Amino acid sequence: MRIAYFPGCTLNTTAKGFDNALRASFAALGAELVELPEWNCCGATFPLLVDNMLDLAAPTRVLLAAQEQGDRLAVACTMCYNVIRRTNNRLRADADALEKLNYFIEAEYRGGVEVLDVLQILRDDVGFEAVQAAVKQPLTGLKVAAYYGCMVLRPPAEVAYDDPENPHALDDLLRALGAEPVEWPHKAECCGAYLAVKSKEATAEMSYRILSSAQRTGAQAVVTNCPLCQFNLDRQQLDMGRRHGGYQPVPVLYFSQLLGVALGLDMADFGWERHYVDVRPLLESLG
Amino acid sequence: MRVKLSAMRVRNELVRRIEELSGQDLLACYQCGKCSAGCPAAFAMDLLPSQVIRLVQLGLVEEVLNAKTPWFCAACQTCYARCPKGVDLSRIMEAIREIALQERGDYLVIEEIPAEELAEFPQLAFISGFRKYTA
Amino acid sequence: MAIAPIQRVLIIGAGIAGMQAALDIANAGYEVVLVEREPSIGGRMAQLSETFPTLDCAQCILTPRTVEVGHHENIRLQTYSTVEAVEGELGDFRVRIRRRAAYVNWDVCTGCGLCQEKCPKKVVSDFERGIGPRKAIYTLSPQAVPNKPVIDREHCIYFERGKCRACEKFCPAGAIDFEQEDALIEERVGAIIVATGYDLYPLSLLGEYGYGEVPDVIDSLAFERLLSASGPTAGQVRRPSDGKEPKEVVFIQCAGSRDPEQHKPYCSKICCMYTAKHAMLYKHKVHDGQAYVFYIDIRSAGKRYEEFVQRAMEEERVLYVRGKVSRVFREDGKVMVWGTDTLSGQSVEVAADLVVLAPAMVPKAGSDVVAELLGLPVDEHGWFTAVEANLQPVETGREGVFLAGAAVGPMDIPETVAQASGAAAKVLSLFARWAGKNEWLNKHETSNNASARWQEDVV
């Protein structure tokens, strides 16, 4: 299987490890992520004003690029997925908007592309059973808290491919890898997202609520699919001990990293060095 | 201070702009408070999310423009996902931010971000931050 | 006494409750004596403009019923009458009814209305809740059943000064009879239904709301009359003080209800719904108007009721403000309303053109007399009490006496009609047993044990 792939800016830079591990894992599973030959930033957040057509131009160009490659687009970054998928929904439902944007970008996007999250593709196209069968180094005994954030769940009618109040796709994947996902109540609570650039304290508190909930269940790692959540949760922990005495940091991983590890792939370029909370003890415990 | 309610106030220009920009029917909200109950950032806000809608319903837009709350909305859509009346509060927050940004200038100034943070933030944090916090 | 129980029923009150029970029993083939204090039937419902939640024209759905009652050969209608004495027991009540002198011979009156046209004396009409006039000789409305006038002796110029007789002069039928006296009528019935209905709590007791002081503070029934096509403004919303169309209207719920300290502790149950209806109909008539509803809670627990209230908010753009109003007063030609919005924590002020109060419901004046006559218990507020509130809501402690409608407590029209049909069913069940034709009934004990025993003892 080959599928057009949009990594997005962050996976090209700070979250390169997410991207490397993802591509390698997909390849090992017989699914090739074919990066769009040319792409641009999607805008990171879906514009919420009714008349903000301008901000829809960038994601429409991404859809246009995908259209050249086929009728499906795999997106790894959950924020990009949210923006591109919602833009696509709008263009499919609103012929007037489609016409305006096509005029603006001087092209003809026809609305035919299906925008999919990579986890969704793993579940529905590759299949978690196939993933399980391909596991070479099961993550036996690893207690993990699957964390979904917001972007693949809300608004449910527009973006969710999972139960929006009790998502389990990521839990199911981790179980297929041999890990032991914990039940916890904060898997879909917001980490604060872009509030981080202006209100560090608020994001720190939001991250703390999520992380401490995960730790109360005995999770040894938090596993996510969102590069901004990963950054917020990981980075905020550096100062967390100061605010919350006795706080013990916990690694925050991308699911693709654990997928690659379980598939027995070379994990040298999985970006471990970019983590703020040291992941080496965890990796060593996995052998 | 006793606030004067009048047709002119409750249907004032700014109220209409918020409705137009957000595409939301403000009076659809019957103030159950579920948005406030579930908002993960409510602890950092000076007005509860439901109070933001309430003040706009009453035409008291200035109070909302002066409040911190719209800047603490992370557009996580938890409120909208659970709203019994289908009101997309994150769109209303965006409309309020938009009016504030146009009237009062940018909320986020790049020069004010410390260099070490500039170096470590992922792109999407900046891009989304500037989308939300600058005109 | 080896007499057969009497298969006739007395119904006290000919509002929608009494009418419904009367029609159910009359249509089953039994005789009904229907007593009404007012000159014509229809009760409170005849004053209403539209009904919630369907916005049916109240008059349009009521009139076929009043006409049917008026013409029914099994219904003996006694309007302008009160029950004075009741003796006897289940199966054989002896009832004395006083029919007040109307000073009009209804047997010859054709209901042409000329007397009302010619009468020179204008009186403030109770039926119009003080916002419209009637004459000293009057019917409650042009749709009155029976459509026969009465002379209000207190205001009649002839009775006051011995001169005038305009009505008599113009009456083509010669029906005016200034010598007429009250008449006493004896009736014998086997069962009684009490359907005396309700009044509104006197707003003079809520001084802070300015009712009676400020002309543009009116009650909800007056607003019904303002909205009604047959009302004093022909359905135009005009404020009493200067006849102008009000552009800002404040509705205040719970005026006297849910106030255990000062007024009535109970919820009057219908005000949330009719206030939503009022605000909605106001907006239908005054498109650029602004309606505010001050409420404590919104109680809309009926089928399609909540949807109705939400429609008022959403589609009709009525601004609901959560908080009780503290004070209403007049200033610079406006009606100032001091309230609060507890949702935002703001105290608010509205300079209104019109204020409509939703007073608590209270038992109909005179229902205490009926209770006394029949030996029926009432609660601390004067409402009739059922013998068992859960399973016997229309039965009283006195055998053969039943309750229907808002005589029991605050109730809306659908509930009233259902209760009335329930009371009628109880009476018909007695009558069927007394007929003794049904073998099954004779063989089995049923929940109507009382009537079964009565039959054994008496027959």
Side-chain angles (χ1 to χ4, degrees):
Chain A
M1 184 185 76
R2 286 164 57 91
I3 183 164
Y5 173 58
F6 177 80
C9 310
T10 302
L11 267 73
N12 226 17
T13 50
T14 54
K16 192 65 198 157
F18 180 5
D19 184 52
N20 289 341
L22 187 74
R23 292 188 204 224
S25 301
F26 265 66
L29 292 163
E32 193 186 344
L33 296 173
V34 185
E35 183 171 340
L36 294 175
E38 240 185 276
W39 55 266
N40 51 267
C41 168
C42 70
T45 57
F46 183 71
L48 295 171
L49 300 185
V50 174
D51 65 349
N52 190 348
M53 300 296 277
L54 196 60
D55 286 357
L56 292 177
T60 305
R61 285 175 53 93
V62 174
L63 288 161
L64 183 73
Q67 179 178 270
E68 315 277 305
Q69 307 303 317
D71 54 7
R72 301 198 327 154
L73 177 66
V75 184
C77 167
T78 59
M79 289 182 76
C80 301
Y81 163 77
N82 188 281
V83 172
I84 300 167
R85 186 167 172 103
R86 295 183 73 183
T87 301
N88 204 31
N89 294 342
R90 169 92 190 261
L91 298 178
R92 285 172 166 192
D94 182 349
D96 186 49
L98 181 63
E99 197 189 322
K100 273 191 191 141
L101 279 156
N102 276 335
Y103 178 78
F104 185 70
I105 63 173
E106 296 180 325
E108 201 204 335
Y109 174 58
R110 293 182 296 274
V113 172
E114 190 73 32
V115 180
L116 302 163
D117 179 60
V118 288
L119 181 60
Q120 184 181 11
I121 294 169
L122 267 182
R123 183 190 69 184
D124 300 341
D125 292 279
V126 178
F128 290 159
E129 281 176 25
V131 171
Q132 189 169 14
V135 167
K136 297 216 166 63
Q137 196 185 343
L139 308 176
T140 314
L142 181 66
K143 283 182 90 172
V144 287
Y147 177 71
Y148 299 78
C150 309
M151 293 297 151
V152 297
L153 303 174
R154 292 184 289 268
E158 287 212 59
V159 303
Y161 53 84
D162 204 347
D163 178 340
E165 290 294 348
N166 189 21
H168 51 83
L170 193 48
D171 293 77
D172 295 345
L173 173 67
L174 291 164
R175 204 172 288 113
L177 302 181
E180 189 188 319
V182 298
E183 272 308 317
W184 66 307
H186 282 66
K187 51 173 72 169
E189 291 292 306
C190 175
C191 70
Y194 55 79
L195 297 187
V197 299
K198 187 73 186 179
S199 319
K200 225 173 161 183
E201 290 188 4
T203 4
E205 177 61 21
M206 291 164 87
S207 299
Y208 173 72
R209 290 176 181 188
I210 292 161
L211 291 163
S212 57
S213 165
Q215 291 192 4
R216 281 194 293 275
T217 64
Q220 298 159 268
V222 173
V223 182
T224 187
N225 52 352
C226 175
L228 187 49
C229 298
Q230 196 281 334
F231 172 77
N232 277 341
L233 296 183
D234 195 11
R235 173 69 183 78
Q236 300 293 346
Q237 292 187 79
L238 295 190
D239 315 315
M240 221 161 258
R242 253 192 300 136
R243 232 179 275 261
H244 302 280
Y247 181 83
Q248 289 300 315
V250 60
V252 183
L253 308 175
Y254 291 112
F255 76 87
S256 61
Q257 292 173 313
L258 283 182
L259 177 60
V261 168
L263 293 175
L265 307 178
D266 175 6
M267 53 186 198
D269 66 349
F270 283 7
W272 308 111
E273 71 286 354
R274 295 212 66 124
H275 288 257
Y276 292 93
V277 176
D278 193 0
V279 295
R280 276 171 307 183
L282 182 81
L283 292 176
E284 281 158 17
S285 77
L286 293 173
Chain B
M1 245 287 280
R2 196 173 282 282
V3 171
K4 290 184 166 55
L5 291 186
S6 65
M8 222 164 34
R9 169 161 259 157
V10 303
R11 295 180 224 158
N12 75 50
E13 179 56 30
L14 284 175
V15 173
R16 279 208 294 273
R17 263 186 81 201
I18 291 172
E19 285 202 309
E20 254 172 46
L21 287 171
S22 67
Q24 302 302 299
D25 178 357
L26 291 165
L27 290 180
C29 167
Y30 59 18
Q31 288 286 299
C32 69
K34 202 175 183 186
C35 49
S36 300
C39 178
F43 69 90
M45 296 172 169
D46 49 357
L47 291 172
L48 289 172
S50 52
Q51 288 176 320
V52 168
I53 301 199
R54 185 60 189 160
L55 289 165
V56 183
Q57 285 178 335
L58 297 179
L60 305 175
V61 181
E62 281 301 312
E63 306 208 9
V64 165
L65 292 175
N66 291 333
K68 286 190 206 163
T69 296
W71 308 106
F72 281 89
C73 165
C76 76
Q77 308 254 353
T78 304
C79 49
Y80 177 43
R82 295 175 185 155
C83 175
K85 295 299 302 281
V87 178
D88 191 342
L89 179 51
S90 60
R91 287 183 183 269
I92 294 171
M93 294 291 192
E94 184 120 313
I96 294 165
R97 282 191 297 264
E98 179 70 15
I99 292 169
L101 291 171
Q102 282 175 11
E103 289 189 352
R104 303 171 180 198
D106 290 349
Y107 180 73
L108 177 67
V109 181
I110 194 155
E111 289 78 18
E112 288 172 5
I113 302 175
E116 68 272 17
E117 287 184 18
L118 277 176
E120 59 182 9
F121 275 130
Q123 281 91 332
L124 76 181
F126 282 124
I127 300 165
S128 50
F130 282 108
R131 276 278 167 93
K132 298 296 181 188
Y133 293 151
T134 62
Chain C
M1 51 182 194
I3 55 127
I6 301 162
Q7 290 166 313
R8 288 179 96 219
V9 65
L10 166 74
I11 299 177
I12 306 171
I16 187 61
M19 284 167 51
Q20 179 67 37
L23 286 171
D24 285 346
I25 295 168
N27 286 334
Y30 298 97
E31 266 188 47
V32 177
V33 179
L34 182 56
V35 177
E36 168 59 49
R37 185 166 62 180
E38 295 293 326
S40 57
I41 63 173
R44 290 287 176 216
M45 192 173 167
Q47 291 177 284
L48 307 185
S49 59
E50 269 91 1
T51 56
F52 60 79
T54 50
L55 295 186
D56 285 315
C57 152
Q59 199 65 251
C60 310
I61 58 174
L62 183 68
T63 301
R65 301 288 182 101
T66 52
V67 169
E68 192 184 350
V69 169
H71 287 125
H72 207 295
E73 60 180 20
N74 283 339
I75 298 178
R76 196 162 162 195
L77 196 53
Q78 285 291 352
T79 61
Y80 215 42
S81 303
T82 47
V83 175
E84 273 201 343
V86 177
E87 281 166 20
E89 57 184 317
L90 170 69
D92 185 16
F93 291 105
R94 286 169 296 282
V95 183
R96 192 168 76 236
I97 298 162
R98 176 180 291 270
R99 187 196 185 276
R100 291 169 64 192
Y103 308 106
V104 177
N105 183 347
W106 284 10
D107 293 335
V108 295
C109 169
T110 61
C112 73
L114 201 57
C115 53
Q116 298 185 60
E117 210 182 300
K118 298 297 182 186
C119 173
K121 177 73 176 186
K122 271 193 183 178
V123 181
V124 173
S125 164
D126 282 345
F127 184 81
E128 304 293 358
R129 292 304 285 185
I131 59 161
R134 62 163 168 82
K135 294 296 182 60
I137 182 165
Y138 69 102
T139 56
L140 294 186
S141 79
Q143 293 81 22
V145 173
N147 187 25
K148 311 283 165 123
V150 298
I151 293 176
D152 164 10
R153 193 180 167 131
E154 226 180 295
H155 294 100
C156 171
I157 296 173
Y158 171 71
F159 278 113
E160 260 179 20
R161 300 180 218 151
K163 268 189 201 162
C164 181
R165 293 187 174 240
C167 48
E168 191 181 45
K169 231 170 286 169
F170 287 99
C171 177
I176 306 298
D177 175 8
F178 290 110
E179 308 304 316
Q180 197 177 66
E181 288 179 357
D182 288 5
L184 292 177
I185 298 144
E186 299 280 336
E187 293 283 1
R188 288 181 70 187
V189 296
I192 298 171
I193 295 174
V194 178
T196 46
Y198 71 96
D199 269 332
L200 295 184
Y201 187 67
L203 290 171
S204 55
L205 298 177
L206 285 103
E208 67 269 35
Y209 288 166
Y211 184 82
E213 304 282 320
V214 184
D216 294 324
V217 176
I218 63 175
D219 74 11
S220 48
L221 272 175
F223 199 69
E224 292 285 346
R225 299 311 300 151
L226 273 186
L227 292 169
S228 173
S230 61
T233 57
Q236 307 253 31
V237 182
R238 302 280 181 200
R239 64 180 197 168
S241 64
D242 56 8
K244 282 191 186 148
E245 188 176 67
K247 296 295 185 192
E248 309 238 8
V249 179
V250 169
F251 296 89
I252 301 176
Q253 297 189 177
C254 294
S257 301
R258 302 181 66 194
D259 188 336
E261 187 63 26
Q262 316 256 13
H263 305 291
K264 297 293 174 187
Y266 51 80
C267 166
S268 291
K269 204 172 180 180
I270 63 170
C271 327
C272 287
M273 290 306 296
Y274 73 58
T275 299
K277 177 191 75 176
H278 285 170
M280 205 181 261
L281 293 172
Y282 164 69
K283 289 287 291 180
H284 289 179
K285 300 204 178 213
V286 184
H287 299 299
D288 60 343
Q290 177 68 46
Y292 310 81
V293 175
F294 284 86
Y295 68 97
I296 316 179
D297 293 292
I298 296 171
R299 287 161 180 197
S300 49
K303 195 167 178 175
R304 301 202 189 284
Y305 285 13
E306 174 62 19
E307 295 94 316
F308 184 82
V309 174
Q310 289 190 30
R311 209 170 99 207
M313 296 176 181
E314 220 167 318
E315 289 173 28
E316 308 297 347
R317 319 301 290 167
V318 175
L319 188 65
Y320 273 73
V321 185
R322 201 219 158 269
K324 220 164 167 165
V325 166
S326 174
R327 211 183 143 207
V328 177
F329 57 96
R330 197 174 197 195
E331 196 173 67
D332 298 334
K334 292 281 187 182
V335 191
M336 303 305 294
V337 177
W338 279 2
T340 194
D341 177 61
T342 61
L343 298 168
S344 62
Q346 314 260 358
S347 279
V348 300
E349 172 182 291
V350 184
D353 300 315
L354 180 69
V355 170
V356 182
L357 304 174
M361 284 169 90
V362 294
K364 185 81 184 171
S367 60
D368 52 339
V369 177
V370 174
E372 177 117 15
L373 283 176
L374 293 168
L376 297 180
V378 293
D379 68 15
E380 68 270 40
H381 311 296
W383 301 109
F384 288 93
T385 50
V387 64
E388 207 279 313
N390 288 305
L391 297 179
Q392 293 168 283
V394 300
E395 291 165 64
T396 68
R398 185 163 182 192
E399 287 175 358
V401 181
F402 303 93
L403 303 169
V408 181
M411 209 175 275
D412 64 13
I413 291 171
E415 195 181 351
T416 292
V417 171
Q419 291 244 341
S421 285
K426 289 287 172 192
V427 170
L428 290 173
S429 159
L430 283 176
F431 290 177
R433 181 172 287 279
W434 293 342
K437 285 176 190 155
N438 187 315
E439 272 178 44
W440 186 90
L441 269 178
N442 292 333
K443 269 189 281 180
H444 293 79
E445 279 280 295
T446 70
S447 57
N448 274 334
N449 280 342
S451 52
R453 276 200 310 280
W454 190 91
Q455 198 178 2
E456 284 153 19
D457 296 349
V458 177
V459 179

